[in-house]
Amino acid sequence: MVDEKMVSEMAQVGVIFGHKKSKTHPKMRPYIGANRNEIELLKPEAVFDKLQKAGAFLREKINNGGLVLMVGTLPTSQESVKNFAEAFKFPHVITRYLGGTLTNFKIMQKRLKYYQDLKNKKEKGELGKYTKKEQLQFAKELKKMESKFEGLTNLTRIPDALFIVDIASHDIALREAKRLKIPIVAIVDTNDNPHTVEYPIIGNDHAKASIDWIIGKMIELIKAEKKEVSAQ
């Protein structure tokens, strides 16, 4: 059950603050407890409940060796998404989600392999045998690919789940996961339909402090469970 301390934290970082009432999705109404100056306020117990359910789902996936693809390309979510992904060695997208990442997975794998091979050759000094012009071309190509593929080097297979911050901004990732029947965990704000994903985390998805708090709690939940499993 959510306690006063957690409610205070949620309010302080803005987790319970949604969008204006005029933007509220009808399916979100059961989770809204009040309205202040036209801003919808989420029920803290609803936030906590959805957080727990999403955490339980991810714990099970992780404990069974599941692979989760993290997606959060907006500036407010990039840092937290990367930290979450790196904590569990998950692939992540924090710049631009490339169409076909999942639905054209074989092609994506070929591009990732080419990127990794070229990166390894550079690190080993194997590109030194080429002309300066060719080396410059390789350098430009690597820089361009790095922004696209660096976070995806751990995407060795189709993921068992997606974690998305702000589904409205990541429609392509959402549609690809749906097409492949990959379950989705997502931070869902008052302007979104929570029924769009299997495990919605009700909360403010546009403020950095809110996103940081939610993802921080998810990491705590998962790591606490992993410690319990290890101790058994």
Side-chain angles (χ1 to χ4, degrees):
M1 184 176 179
V2 61
D3 56 26
E4 290 185 11
K5 180 182 177 182
M6 185 169 288
V7 172
S8 178
E9 285 182 11
M10 289 182 187
Q12 187 174 0
V13 299
V15 171
I16 60 174
F17 293 95
H19 290 270
K20 288 185 177 181
K21 186 176 181 179
S22 59
K23 294 184 178 181
T24 299
H25 193 285
K27 298 292 185 182
M28 282 295 296
R29 298 197 187 283
Y31 307 112
I32 295 171
N35 183 281
R36 183 183 300 168
N37 298 323
E38 287 300 306
I39 299 298
E40 301 282 46
L41 301 181
L42 293 162
K43 297 176 182 177
E45 59 270 24
V47 176
F48 180 75
D49 177 62
K50 294 298 185 182
L51 188 67
Q52 291 287 315
K53 288 178 179 176
F57 168 74
L58 287 181
R59 281 199 305 266
E60 182 181 4
K61 287 294 180 186
I62 292 170
N63 288 337
N64 290 322
L67 185 69
V68 181
L69 173 60
M70 308 288 299
V71 181
T73 64
L74 300 181
T76 49
S77 64
Q78 289 173 331
E79 183 181 4
S80 287
V81 166
K82 185 177 181 181
N83 289 341
F84 194 163
E86 291 181 346
F88 300 101
K89 295 181 172 59
F90 286 152
H92 60 278
V93 177
I94 60 171
T95 51
R96 182 172 72 89
Y97 184 88
L98 299 174
T101 295
L102 300 177
T103 51
N104 287 323
F105 190 68
K106 288 184 178 180
I107 294 175
M108 176 58 69
Q109 285 296 93
K110 289 180 181 179
R111 294 299 296 161
L112 283 170
K113 186 178 185 304
Y114 175 73
Y115 164 65
Q116 289 175 301
D117 288 345
L118 190 59
K119 184 179 178 181
N120 289 336
K121 286 178 180 178
K122 181 185 177 183
E123 291 173 351
K124 293 177 181 178
E126 294 178 7
L127 298 181
K129 62 183 179 181
Y130 294 96
T131 65
K132 288 185 178 180
K133 183 178 180 180
E134 288 173 326
Q135 289 182 48
L136 183 60
Q137 289 175 335
F138 283 133
K140 288 181 178 179
E141 188 176 15
L142 267 173
K143 186 176 181 180
K144 186 177 180 180
M145 288 193 295
E146 186 175 14
S147 64
K148 295 179 180 178
F149 303 134
E150 182 59 30
L152 294 174
T153 53
N154 291 335
L155 189 65
T156 54
R157 56 185 171 84
I158 293 290
D160 300 289
L162 257 68
F163 186 108
I164 302 175
V165 179
D166 190 349
I167 57 176
S169 299
H170 299 95
D171 184 59
I172 296 175
L174 186 70
R175 283 190 281 112
E176 290 194 1
K178 288 289 184 183
R179 181 176 172 182
L180 297 178
K181 301 186 186 306
I182 301 171
I184 302 167
V185 176
I187 301 178
V188 180
D189 212 327
T190 57
N191 62 324
D192 298 314
N193 180 359
H195 296 176
T196 303
V197 301
E198 288 78 6
Y199 297 92
I201 302 172
I202 306 301
N204 181 335
D205 68 0
H206 53 278
K208 187 178 187 303
S210 171
I211 296 167
D212 289 349
W213 186 88
I214 291 172
I215 289 182
K217 288 298 178 185
M218 292 296 290
I219 293 174
E220 286 179 15
L221 284 169
I222 295 166
K223 285 190 172 181
E225 176 69 13
K226 286 175 74 68
K227 287 180 181 178
E228 290 176 14
V229 171
S230 298
Q232 291 177 358

